[in-house]
Amino acid sequence: MPAVSITPTDAALGATVEGVDMRTPPDDATIEVIETALETYGVLIFPNQIVTPAQQVTFSAALGPLELTANIDARLDGQPEIFVVGNTGAKTVTFAPKAGSDDLEWHTDHIHRSEPSRASLLYAKEIPEEGGDTLFACMYSAYDGLSLEDKEAYGRLEAIHSVAGLRAYLRDQAEEDEYDPGRQEAMPESVTWPLVRRHPRTGRPALYFGAKITIGIRGRSREDGLRFVRELTAHATQPAFVYRHVWRKHDAVLWDNRRALHAATPFDMERHRRLMHRTTLRETEPVA
Ligand code: SIN
């Protein structure tokens, strides 16, 4: 194994990893280095990876079982494990708001599924000249930053998640009549998980929710639940807890969905192209 160097960011999470070549599947020692670094830093940046879709899939699959996006139209032809996120194809797929003043769509991948996602790997094929960054917020820090009272109270809460919440956001973001979810695999109407989740590898408590995909808190009215989620989002995504990734072409970023929320920032979709390929690792540990 070539020497791997890991340089932490100065944010609450994130580290740059050099010495890993994603064109070849990682051996056991490299997998251990990556998993330990992911456990320690939550977000790993691998600069300058020039990989084909097949290589990205093979590399990702060496880290664990993959899952497909429910958005059938966003699966790459011939390589369905790749989720195509961008504005370069026939249909735009983006989680970024249209305008800088709009709410960001903070989320953790596939929280609305009965088997959520453990980690995701996003690979930058084309990036805009401006904007289109990805923000990552550390949910350990968000939990640690709660008062003792809130820690106790939130530890008893269950949050309800549904793809309907995400769709409503995307519909609001679209121009009139422009919103078309395309062909979608069926999803459960909603799933419920504890709001505070212990990370299966580190044992640390983390907040587990999404700004739009979390549609309520069990036992509370809809309005109360949504207000709670809005306030929790403001707390959990405050700048002290956030790493901003400004993409360079051929960056690959791997993040731990059990620890990090992420959100794309807006870019001018009329003028610029942004094309990302995501592979998504299925959760293999119980959530609750
Ligand atoms: C995603 O939410 O998986 C994509 C994030 C991004 O486009 O920056």
Side-chain angles (χ1 to χ4, degrees), residues 85 95 107 109 122 133-134 247 255 262-264 274 276 278:
V85 178
F95 301 101
H107 65 281
D109 290 327
L122 193 64
D133 304 336
T134 307
W247 292 93
W255 66 85
H262 60 281
R274 185 177 191 264
M276 319 295 270
R278 192 180 94 191

Side-chain angles (χ1 to χ4, degrees), residues 269-283:
M269 285 192 229
E270 305 300 318
R271 290 178 51 219
H272 298 305
R273 289 164 62 93
R274 185 177 191 264
L275 174 61
M276 319 295 270
H277 278 181
R278 192 180 94 191
T279 34
T280 314
L281 288 136
R282 183 159 51 77
E283 180 56 281

Side-chain angles (χ1 to χ4, degrees), residues 108 111 116 153-161 191-198 205-210 214 216-218 228 232 258 286-288:
T108 167
I111 195 172
Y154 293 7
R156 290 190 293 271
L157 295 182
E158 293 189 314
I160 305 162
H161 316 282
V191 298
T192 302
W193 303 119
L195 177 65
V196 178
R197 181 182 180 188
R198 258 180 209 285
L207 296 177
Y208 193 55
F209 75 107
T214 301
I217 300 294
R218 181 173 286 228
F228 176 84
L232 191 64
R258 306 177 292 199
V287 174

